[in-house]
Amino acid sequence: YSMQGSATGSGFALLIGAGMKFNLSSKICLLTQLDYTSTTITYDDVVKAYSWQSTETVENITYEQSITSFNIGVGIGFRL
């Protein structure tokens, strides 16, 4: 068998974004946005237990999970 316990983790995140506005007329504009997000979450003391051929092993381990995303946004703006 194999068993892994749950754990909570934390990490520092980085967010970088940029946007542009393109005037289509005096009343309407096109809006664009690009965002980049990156983080690495560290999970400490995760209990992992497994058994193989009558030998059972239990250990506390540390996991890291990297998460990266790019978000693209497009919109239309109306001036009053």
Side-chain angles (χ1 to χ4, degrees):
Y1 77 92
S2 178
M3 188 274 302
Q4 178 177 312
S6 64
T8 58
S10 62
F12 177 76
L14 170 71
L15 171 64
I16 298 173
M20 294 186 71
K21 179 172 65 172
F22 301 96
N23 293 320
L24 302 177
S25 70
S26 63
K27 297 276 186 183
I28 299 173
C29 62
L30 178 67
L31 305 166
T32 61
Q33 181 74 30
L34 176 64
D35 294 322
Y36 168 79
T37 306
S38 178
T39 187
T40 299
I41 308 287
T42 302
Y43 302 95
D44 293 321
D45 296 327
V46 178
V47 177
K48 183 175 182 180
Y50 52 92
S51 176
W52 178 252
Q53 296 179 348
S54 300
T55 302
E56 185 172 312
T57 304
V58 177
E59 55 188 14
N60 288 345
I61 55 177
T62 299
Y63 281 112
E64 285 190 352
Q65 180 180 15
S66 296
I67 301 170
T68 302
S69 70
F70 286 95
N71 298 310
I72 299 172
V74 178
I76 296 176
F78 299 97
R79 293 184 189 92
L80 300 177

